[in-house]
Amino acid sequence: MAKYVGVLTSGGDSPGLNAAIRGLGKAAIGQYNMNIMGFKDGFRGLMENRTMPLNERTLSGILTVGGTILGTSRHKPNKMPVGGKNMDMTEVIVGNYHEHHLDALVCMGGGGTQKNAYHLMKQGLNIITLPKTIDNDVWGTDFTFGFDTAMGIATDAIDRLHSTAISHHRIMLVEIMGHNTGWLALGAGLAAGADVILIPEIPYSTEIVAEAILKRTKEGKTFSIVAVAEGAISQQMYKELKEKKEELSEAKQKNDKKNKKDLKEQIAEIEAVQKINTYRLAGNLEKLTRIETRVTILGHLQRGGTPSAADRLLATRLGTMAARCIQKEQFGVMIASAGDTAVPVPLKEIVGKRKNIPPDHPWLKSARALGTCMGDCYDII
Ligand code: F6P
């Protein structure tokens, strides 16, 4: 009997989502004779039963289109904003899944989506996920789709900043997305030859960054490019945050309500300051080096536009593999990229984990070998 498949895209949009929907849909329909339908705006659309037909016509012409034809949201099944409150809408979602007689639900998203999909899997739904995010921080896969395109955009931006930095003899800070990991900043920084790369995995010292820039000046280089991951954090702020988080977990253990509330507020304050980290750093570098400094925040530009060839290929490979897994009734898995192959990985093995850049990663070793300042020390690993 023909299978019924639902698909949704959740979390921040990412180049390659449409290529993945197309890969899944075309293989599901053409190869396996399945029926496939989309749910709009992530888990919210599944809860509200807002659907979109996916067929040869709607799947056509979308390979190169950015964003997601299904729309997306960051709403979670168990914390859905309804009537001004966050409600657990899991039961409604499970009901809608059954009402459509679905044999499988494919959820495309980042770390949060994997978690939400796993939650639905535990309610008995047949779930398959695909790893998408420009951040490349999903555990269990070599790469996520969207990352390559965003890295290309950030690389192009740094290339362009070079000529204006050289002309004005300035320090140029460019803030690159990536949430709590530095994959995008490190990848683009290396590809475009940034002089300093700051990533969340390596808390930085402003003094060391200033020293590295002044060393360049002594060598006759009158400009510097600093690639700053949005989650980059100074050593001092990292220490403060760590201490407060430790105190908070102690207060939680003791059920000390008053202290818990105060500590949460203090943590939120530190995090708010971290959000404007790049501007603060620019001001401090200008003071320490006496070199004119400017900031460029790339922001959502990195998520927009046509997906790169690599992302289209990855998304298509993962999408078609998802259709194959549905046919084989292999559920509760994320389709991961492992070298040239697409492999199903049990969701329970990847949920709740984040893929940070390991200290011995080849990209990091290359950056060190080039003499790129990572904000900590100049030693080659
Ligand atoms: O997860 C993708 C991402 O673009 C992150 O790099 C960034 O921190 C976040 O989403 C921005 O989210 P929003 O689109 O909700 O502002």
Side-chain angles (χ1 to χ4, degrees):
M1 231 174 55
K3 289 187 164 61
Y4 283 80
V5 179
V7 54
L8 59 83
T9 56
S10 176
D13 71 328
S14 194
L17 271 170
N18 289 327
I21 296 168
R22 173 182 175 271
L24 164 72
K26 284 202 168 217
I29 297 166
Q31 187 92 28
Y32 305 114
N33 198 29
M34 295 171 187
N35 300 291
I36 179 158
M37 70 194 299
F39 290 95
K40 291 186 177 173
D41 303 334
F43 295 104
R44 172 128 220 134
L46 179 55
M47 187 269 283
E48 291 171 346
N49 223 344
R50 288 187 286 118
T51 61
M52 173 176 177
L54 293 177
N55 50 45
E56 287 293 352
R57 190 182 55 77
T58 53
L59 291 170
S60 178
I62 63 169
L63 177 63
T64 59
V65 179
T68 158
I69 56 164
L70 291 175
T72 185
S73 72
R74 293 197 183 275
H75 295 175
K76 304 177 171 88
N78 57 346
K79 268 190 200 155
M80 189 76 69
V82 181
K85 276 192 200 156
N86 281 339
M87 309 271 285
D88 186 351
M89 300 307 279
T90 308
E91 256 183 53
V92 179
I93 285 179
V94 171
N96 286 344
Y97 173 97
H98 291 303
E99 194 184 297
H100 287 286
H101 304 289
L102 294 181
D103 295 293
L105 177 69
V106 180
C107 306
M108 304 184 181
T113 303
Q114 309 301 325
K115 207 167 167 183
N116 292 324
Y118 183 60
H119 168 71
L120 295 182
M121 181 198 110
K122 288 197 284 184
Q123 315 301 313
L125 307 196
N126 293 331
I127 298 288
I128 291 189
T129 66
L130 297 193
K132 76 86 221 184
T133 164
I134 64 163
D135 304 337
N136 196 36
D137 60 352
V138 177
W139 187 267
T141 182
D142 288 352
F143 290 103
T144 55
F145 54 86
F147 173 63
D148 183 73
T149 309
M151 187 166 58
I153 295 169
T155 301
D156 181 54
I158 301 176
D159 288 347
R160 286 168 191 277
L161 285 171
H162 261 99
S163 60
T164 171
I166 291 167
S167 305
H168 283 267
H169 319 296
R170 282 173 172 161
I171 302 173
M172 288 291 190
L173 271 68
V174 51
E175 187 183 285
I176 297 169
M177 274 188 171
H179 203 214
N180 290 316
T181 61
W183 292 103
L184 270 178
L186 180 59
L190 262 183
D195 308 298
V196 180
I197 304 176
L198 304 178
I199 58 175
E201 289 87 343
I202 305 176
Y204 66 84
S205 145
T206 309
E207 286 71 25
I208 287 178
V209 176
E211 249 178 65
I213 290 171
L214 290 173
K215 183 167 170 268
R216 283 175 54 77
T217 310
K218 276 193 202 131
E219 290 164 359
K221 297 164 190 162
T222 60
F223 73 97
S224 290
I225 303 279
V226 185
V228 190
E230 64 177 343
I233 187 163
S234 68
Q235 290 173 355
Q236 191 195 339
M237 201 176 279
Y238 175 79
K239 193 166 159 266
E240 276 172 40
L241 205 55
K242 194 167 170 255
E243 280 168 8
K244 294 287 171 208
K245 283 184 177 170
E246 280 165 6
E247 283 175 44
L248 177 64
S249 88
E250 255 176 56
K252 275 183 182 164
Q253 271 171 10
K254 290 183 191 152
N255 203 15
D256 179 348
K257 285 191 183 146
K258 164 85 180 64
N259 216 358
K260 241 166 56 180
K261 189 170 170 276
D262 289 350
L263 283 163
K264 275 187 185 167
E265 278 170 13
Q266 288 165 23
I267 288 172
E269 265 172 44
I270 301 175
E271 284 174 344
V273 176
Q274 194 280 328
K275 282 217 160 73
I276 50 160
N277 170 54
T278 308
Y279 281 106
R280 272 169 47 101
L281 176 62
N284 290 334
L285 287 178
E286 202 166 52
K287 259 191 235 148
L288 289 170
T289 61
R290 297 175 182 274
I291 301 173
E292 211 177 20
T293 304
R294 293 288 186 270
V295 172
T296 303
I297 310 270
L298 295 183
H300 292 79
L301 268 180
Q302 294 155 104
R303 292 218 311 243
T306 309
S308 67
D311 271 339
R312 290 182 216 174
L313 195 56
L314 174 61
T316 302
R317 286 199 294 118
L318 302 187
T320 51
M321 179 55 120
R324 192 160 160 211
C325 286
I326 297 168
Q327 180 64 13
K328 287 173 27 189
E329 303 194 348
Q330 194 168 6
F331 300 121
V333 293
M334 176 184 82
I335 313 296
S337 154
D340 275 344
T341 59
V343 289
V345 179
L347 267 177
K348 67 170 185 306
E349 284 178 17
I350 59 127
V351 159
K353 296 180 188 161
R354 183 173 66 212
K355 190 179 74 176
N356 291 316
I357 303 176
D360 60 347
H361 193 276
W363 291 4
L364 215 42
K365 283 187 180 173
S366 279
R368 301 274 195 202
L370 286 173
T372 311
C373 172
M374 299 300 299
D376 55 349
C377 64
Y378 298 101
D379 298 344
I380 294 176
I381 288 178

